[in-house]
């Protein structure tokens, strides 16, 4: 395939996950400038709109060189806000390409919070019975998100405070590791809360959902002018390593490139 000029904006919170990142598509090998806007230091904003606005001002401004916005998993609502910002800046809508895109639910945020607490407890040899922090209020994630994230931070600190005092763990080391660990996960949990508090703006463009074989996706993406779904016979972990996924994205960008020309 010929080289394709232009830039794509990528919303992909890679972290320490086992799933392949968007960079595995190798789009840069085809002449595309790939700009992953989700890099450290991560915003601590708690709505998709304000989170995306901070990413825009940190990384932009962007113009008509952008051919598409790509979003992975729960970053999809934030990617959509970026697509809307791009339309506002240029007057030109671009495709929103989503890989196993989905909203961040209250249940998924609670699960990630509990997972973080368990990992911290394991790191500090905390008794498994003392690794479960207080549950979050699902409604509070929308109505009082700042209180919710502060409560989760305190919950992680409390788990770390249960590190044994039998000499197996140095108290100062345990405190320092707890604070470092909690700050690391606060970035991730803030990202999920922001994605949960989405406004799904219409941006005048199409959505293309590229999904793994068992991903549960919507028929019509909220806010999209039209929605196309491409299902790939691969699991979630290896979705972005599949040649047909890269080919699908390149086809989309090729069409956008011809429109721009």
């Amino acid at each position: 395939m010929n080289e394709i000029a232009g830039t794509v904006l990528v919303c992909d919170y890679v972290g320490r996950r086992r799933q392949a990142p968007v960079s595995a598509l190798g789009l840069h090998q085809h002449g595309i400038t790939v700009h992953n806007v989700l890099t450290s230091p991560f915003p601590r904003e708690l709505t998709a709109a304000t989170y995306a606005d901070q990413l825009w001002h940190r990384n932009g401004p962007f113009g008509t060189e952008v051919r598409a916005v790509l979003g992975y998993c729960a970053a999809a609502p934030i990617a959509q806000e970026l697509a809307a910002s791009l339309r506002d800046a240029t007057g030109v809508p671009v495709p929103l390409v989503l890989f196993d895109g989905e909203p961040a639910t209250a249940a998924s945020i609670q699960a990630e919070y509990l997972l973080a607490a368990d990992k911290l407890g394991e790191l500090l040899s905390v008794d498994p019975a003392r690794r479960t922090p207080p549950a979050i209020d699902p409604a509070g994630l929308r109505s009082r998100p700042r209180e919710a994230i502060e409560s989760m931070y305190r919950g992680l600190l409390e788990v770390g405070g249960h590190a044994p005092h039998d000499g197996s763990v140095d108290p100062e080391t345990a405190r320092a590791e707890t604070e470092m660990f909690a700050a690391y996960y606060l970035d991730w949990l803030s990202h999920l809360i922001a994605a949960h508090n989405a406004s799904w703006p219409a941006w005048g463009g199409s959505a293309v959902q590229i999904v793994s074989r068992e991903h549960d996706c919507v028929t019509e993406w909220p806010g999209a002018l039209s929605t196309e779904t491409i299902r790939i016979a691969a699991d979630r972990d290896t979705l972005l390593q599949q040649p047909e996924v890269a080919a699908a994205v390149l086809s989309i960008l090729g069409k956008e490139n011809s429109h721009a020309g």
Side-chain angles (χ1 to χ4, degrees):
M1 180 177 290
N2 294 331
E3 286 198 349
I4 302 170
T7 297
V8 294
L9 302 186
V10 175
C11 274
D12 184 13
Y13 196 115
V14 178
R16 297 174 181 172
R17 72 174 193 238
R18 64 181 181 274
Q19 294 88 358
V22 172
S23 59
L25 295 173
L27 299 178
H28 63 284
Q29 298 172 10
H30 300 270
I32 300 164
T33 300
V34 180
H35 193 129
N36 187 10
V37 298
L38 269 177
T39 57
S40 181
F42 299 100
R44 293 278 178 85
E45 299 296 332
L46 299 174
T47 70
T50 56
Y51 197 103
D53 187 61
Q54 192 166 135
L55 294 179
W56 178 273
H57 286 96
R58 282 186 185 182
N59 294 275
F62 301 103
T64 55
E65 75 281 1
V66 178
R67 299 285 183 254
V69 179
L70 282 53
Y72 180 81
C73 192
I78 296 166
Q80 184 166 341
E81 295 283 354
L82 283 174
S85 295
L86 188 66
R87 186 276 322 277
D88 291 344
T90 67
V92 180
V94 299
L96 178 65
V97 183
L98 305 170
F99 308 101
D100 275 358
E102 59 188 10
T105 64
S108 67
I109 295 169
Q110 171 76 359
E112 289 296 312
Y113 174 43
L114 293 177
L115 179 62
D118 187 63
K119 286 183 176 180
L120 176 60
E122 182 179 12
L123 175 68
L124 297 177
S125 301
V126 174
D127 186 320
R130 309 190 79 179
R131 295 181 190 175
T132 303
I136 59 175
D137 172 19
L141 292 172
R142 290 192 190 278
S143 61
R144 300 180 304 280
R146 188 63 58 189
E147 290 181 24
I149 195 66
E150 289 173 355
S151 174
M152 284 187 266
Y153 182 68
R154 290 193 302 271
L156 292 176
L157 294 182
E158 287 173 13
V159 170
H162 294 313
H165 299 292
D166 56 5
S168 60
V169 180
D170 176 69
E172 289 300 320
T173 300
R175 186 177 300 109
E177 289 187 349
T178 296
E179 291 176 355
M180 186 182 305
F181 187 98
Y184 174 84
Y185 270 93
L186 203 66
D187 285 341
W188 172 233
L189 292 168
S190 296
H191 173 76
L192 293 178
I193 293 174
H196 176 64
N197 294 331
S199 64
W200 311 107
W203 74 98
S206 61
V208 181
Q209 302 182 100
I210 301 179
V211 299
S212 55
R213 60 176 169 243
E214 295 181 353
H215 183 69
D216 185 19
C217 58
V218 298
T219 303
E220 298 294 332
W221 189 264
L225 197 61
S226 62
T227 305
E228 177 186 3
T229 301
I230 303 171
R231 191 167 292 277
I232 305 296
D235 61 23
R236 187 181 186 87
D237 289 3
T238 62
L239 174 66
L240 291 166
Q241 295 172 328
Q242 305 306 312
E244 57 265 47
V245 175
V249 176
L250 290 170
S251 176
I252 295 165
L253 296 176
K255 293 174 184 175
E256 287 301 304
N257 201 59
S258 65
H259 293 163

